[in-house]
Amino acid sequence: MIKCEVKIRIPFLWGKAVFKKENWSQINLIVGPNGSGKTLLAQAVTKEFSLHGYSVSDSVKISSKNHNQPNDENTLLILKDDETIKEKIETVLSSMFGKSIKFIEDIDTSLIPIVENKAWNVEYMLEDAECHGLREIIALLIKLYSSKDDILVFDEPELHLHPQLQMFFMNEIKKEAQKNPKKIFFIISHSPFFIDLRYAEDLIGVIVCHTNKVPTHIEQLSQDDSILFKRFLPRFNTYHKQFFFSDNQIFVEGYTDQQMFTNLLPFIHDEYSSTGTGIIDVGGKDELGVFCKVCSLLGTNGRIITDLDSLFSGKLRDVFCKDERVNAWLLKVYERQLPFYERIFTQKELLHPISLDKLIFRLERYLVTIGQEITQKNDEPPKKLATYVSKLLSLLEKHENAENVDTYKTVILQGILKQEDDLIKYLSPELSRTIPDIKNLYSLILAAAEAARVYILPKGCIEHYYTQNTIEYMPVSAKDRLFHNEIEYLLDSNKKTVQKEYSELITILEKACAL
């Protein structure tokens, strides 16, 4: 880790706020949407470094009209005069393209780069016949290999480069960083292929720029966070990295959620509110917790849509329950909710702050008590409750400690929400009186989670919103078959039908897309 205290003000970008950062990585990534001030921030940061005695190379920005092209005289002189750099570049060209480069002098003594295609034994001028990508990777490599400055900045090095070349160039930067431990790199990029995070500490080098908001970053990681990210990073793929470039990404558990919500995005009522929004599936409930944590630490406004059982276990619950936005929201509504709290909590419990964890724990106690009464009844349940009771009994038989299983508690809650009137008649008067409190508590918990931009599917999971099959309770079997039936129907339906039949999911999407 490199220490250099930086304080930057750019009022026309983020008002009176001040960007502050002291801890830096050897390789730092400046990311974010267009127009968020990435290049200006890099210029200001490197200026601060120069005031601390670091030498800073000119920013390398490749474009068709830029002087940083390999036909530039100064660039070619480097290549001609430094045999080591020339050999390295020739090795790259030969191994990746089967081509080599040489130089001939023009009549005015300037150098002309000539490319030799070894496969066909032909030569041609680099400037006239070669693609942008090959010309620009040469220019980038020359700058990378030849710079003697302490700090080197690459501004959008991905321009015109194939993803394989982007990954190759990032690997070359890492090699140069290992060879030169005192050298510092800043990469301004829109490409996920440059988000190459191999260690948890690499996150300290990520700076996220936002539109009309001061850039955010992680100054340091706790030991718990380091352990969490160490397990997470090997599963962190290129598709997941979209959230570094936009605050509008929505994370979901699996591919069925991803496909359903992606295909529903065009049907939200304010179509422009979803501009730049992507639906990213992360592969599981625990992974959602990690993404929620990363977004929280980096200050990105990531949104999460998750199943109802996320309330009762997993990393996601741990993360959003500790989110500062949730605590602030609960504090804001405390006075208004105090009469309700006095009804569901003891005076001793009220001596301590009301946290989301505390509210969920109280909900769980209610649910377990109701589950115990239902499953211990000897009489035959009413016909309308038969499936519900059967599901609870099967879960009780399947799990040794079903009361600690998230699915069991979820099913109890689903029954309360779906069959309130029948349950009130079936339960003892004492427990029947708790049903309104349970529903009120549940609504309060959902609202608190939304303060952290976590949207819980009230019915359970995505399958409970399908229109082509009726799904009663969790867990759901034959998900793949159900999904394909549903997605075919959705894709074949007109706008009016979709907005009517999927109105609940569209409402959740609209909340998630809202700024």
Side-chain angles (χ1 to χ4, degrees):
M1 187 183 298
I2 298 158
K3 288 194 174 291
C4 182
E5 188 175 1
V6 167
K7 295 181 181 179
I8 296 169
R9 293 177 175 83
I10 307 182
F12 69 89
L13 282 178
W14 56 73
K16 295 181 180 179
V18 179
F19 171 81
K20 299 178 183 178
K21 186 170 173 62
E22 183 177 0
N23 297 321
W24 304 83
S25 294
Q26 194 179 1
I27 299 174
N28 300 278
L29 299 161
I30 301 178
V31 298
N34 287 330
S36 56
K38 297 184 295 296
T39 299
L40 290 173
L41 176 66
Q43 291 170 349
V45 167
T46 53
K47 183 178 180 181
E48 290 284 303
F49 268 85
S50 69
L51 295 175
H52 286 81
Y54 291 84
S55 60
V56 181
S57 177
D58 291 336
S59 175
V60 182
K61 185 173 179 67
I62 298 295
S63 73
S64 57
K65 297 180 181 179
N66 197 273
H67 69 277
N68 286 308
Q69 294 287 327
N71 58 329
D72 172 69
E73 182 68 19
N74 293 328
T75 304
L76 294 179
L77 283 173
I78 293 172
L79 206 54
K80 181 183 178 184
D81 296 341
D82 194 317
E83 190 64 27
T84 301
I85 294 176
K86 181 176 179 293
E87 286 179 2
K88 287 177 76 171
I89 292 195
E90 285 182 339
T91 299
V92 170
L93 292 175
S94 179
S95 61
M96 297 189 77
F97 302 102
K99 300 173 183 179
S100 65
I101 189 170
K102 64 181 181 180
F103 305 93
I104 61 173
E105 286 191 3
D106 203 350
I107 55 175
D108 61 356
T109 71
S110 64
L111 294 173
I112 301 174
I114 302 295
V115 174
E116 177 189 1
N117 188 324
K118 296 180 179 179
W120 302 107
N121 195 29
V122 295
E123 295 181 351
Y124 52 88
M125 292 178 61
L126 175 69
E127 183 178 5
D128 293 341
E130 195 50 79
C131 65
H132 286 298
L134 182 57
R135 296 205 305 266
E136 288 165 5
I137 191 64
I138 293 172
L140 290 168
L141 291 172
I142 290 172
K143 191 68 176 181
L144 176 65
Y145 298 148
S146 66
S147 177
K148 300 294 190 291
D149 291 302
D150 301 320
I151 294 176
L152 187 55
V153 182
F154 290 98
D155 194 346
E156 297 187 9
E158 66 268 19
L159 292 179
H160 301 298
L161 294 189
H162 185 278
Q164 286 182 325
L165 280 180
Q166 295 177 38
M167 290 188 288
F168 164 76
F169 185 61
M170 187 62 187
N171 283 330
E172 289 301 291
I173 291 175
K174 286 185 176 289
K175 289 179 185 177
E176 290 298 306
Q178 289 178 342
K179 291 178 186 176
N180 304 282
K182 294 184 179 180
K183 205 174 198 63
I184 304 171
F185 299 88
F186 288 88
I187 303 168
I188 306 164
S189 180
H190 292 283
S191 171
F193 295 102
F194 282 94
I195 308 293
D196 187 10
L197 307 175
R198 302 180 187 181
Y199 304 96
E201 294 73 22
D202 291 344
L203 282 163
I204 292 173
V206 177
I207 303 163
V208 183
C209 293
H210 313 273
T211 304
N212 300 322
K213 177 184 170 185
V214 69
T216 52
H217 59 89
I218 298 172
E219 190 65 17
Q220 58 187 11
L221 292 170
S222 69
Q223 186 175 2
D224 288 344
D225 292 339
S226 294
I227 293 171
L228 179 68
F229 296 141
K230 184 178 180 180
R231 293 177 55 197
F232 158 72
L233 286 175
R235 304 194 299 273
F236 187 49
N237 62 41
T238 303
Y239 176 64
H240 295 152
K241 296 172 186 176
Q242 295 178 66
F243 84 95
F244 283 105
F245 306 99
S246 170
D247 279 346
N248 296 330
Q249 304 306 318
I250 298 172
F251 302 102
V252 295
E253 286 188 39
Y255 79 95
T256 56
D257 304 71
Q258 191 272 338
Q259 283 294 301
M260 288 295 294
F261 283 117
T262 296
N263 284 288
L264 287 173
L265 263 181
F267 298 99
I268 65 175
H269 293 89
D270 182 1
E271 58 184 290
Y272 294 109
S273 67
S274 66
T275 302
T277 297
I279 311 293
I280 303 173
D281 102 68
V282 301
K285 183 168 59 180
D286 280 349
E287 279 72 13
L288 279 178
V290 178
F291 275 89
C292 188
K293 184 68 174 180
V294 173
C295 289
S296 175
L297 289 172
L298 280 174
T300 63
N301 195 21
R303 301 95 191 266
I304 288 171
I305 299 177
T306 185
D307 295 348
L308 180 55
D309 60 359
S310 295
L311 276 183
F312 303 119
S313 69
K315 290 186 178 69
L316 179 59
R317 168 181 165 164
D318 295 339
V319 173
F320 71 70
C321 280
K322 295 174 184 175
D323 194 288
E324 293 179 0
R325 293 169 293 182
V326 170
N327 294 327
W329 186 86
L330 288 172
L331 189 62
K332 182 180 177 181
V333 302
Y334 180 82
E335 291 297 330
R336 188 166 73 249
Q337 295 295 334
L338 185 56
F340 175 61
Y341 293 156
E342 289 174 338
R343 192 163 67 251
I344 66 173
F345 292 116
T346 65
Q347 287 300 314
K348 185 177 180 181
E349 288 173 324
L350 287 173
L351 293 175
H352 303 283
I354 300 297
S355 65
L356 184 51
D357 251 332
K358 194 170 185 174
L359 293 173
I360 295 174
F361 180 68
R362 187 69 188 88
L363 176 64
E364 289 175 311
R365 284 169 57 190
Y366 276 132
L367 297 177
V368 168
T369 302
I370 287 176
Q372 287 173 343
E373 179 169 305
I374 292 173
T375 55
Q376 290 173 10
K377 278 180 174 287
N378 294 320
D379 56 322
E380 192 76 18
K383 187 176 181 180
K384 290 182 179 180
L385 293 176
T387 303
Y388 175 52
V389 175
S390 174
K391 175 67 77 170
L392 289 178
L393 289 171
S394 67
L395 287 169
L396 205 62
E397 184 178 344
K398 181 179 179 180
H399 300 282
E400 185 176 350
N401 297 302
E403 294 177 355
N404 297 323
V405 176
D406 52 4
T407 306
Y408 178 73
K409 288 177 278 195
T410 300
V411 171
I412 298 171
L413 181 55
Q414 285 180 305
I416 291 170
L417 298 172
K418 290 175 64 174
Q419 297 178 278
E420 176 183 0
D421 294 339
D422 295 307
L423 267 178
I424 287 175
K425 295 174 185 176
Y426 186 59
L427 294 170
S428 63
E430 182 183 359
L431 284 187
S432 294
R433 287 192 290 270
T434 66
I435 298 295
D437 285 340
I438 290 173
K439 293 184 67 178
N440 190 22
L441 180 56
Y442 175 59
S443 297
L444 186 63
I445 289 168
L446 293 189
E450 287 184 10
R453 307 310 298 268
V454 175
Y455 302 90
I456 295 165
L457 295 172
K459 286 186 175 181
C461 58
I462 195 74
E463 288 81 11
H464 292 103
Y465 296 85
Y466 286 178
T467 62
Q468 301 307 292
N469 292 276
T470 300
I471 311 299
E472 292 288 348
Y473 301 102
M474 295 175 75
V476 179
S477 58
K479 286 187 175 184
D480 196 57
R481 176 179 59 79
L482 295 171
F483 163 71
H484 285 291
N485 288 342
E486 197 66 29
I487 201 70
E488 286 177 15
Y489 175 76
L490 192 161
L491 293 173
D492 289 340
S493 299
N494 59 42
K495 182 176 182 179
K496 187 176 180 180
T497 300
V498 171
Q499 288 185 327
K500 179 182 178 181
E501 297 194 12
Y502 298 96
S503 60
E504 292 172 296
L505 289 178
I506 290 173
T507 297
I508 292 169
L509 262 182
E510 288 175 333
K511 285 183 180 181
C513 289
L515 296 177

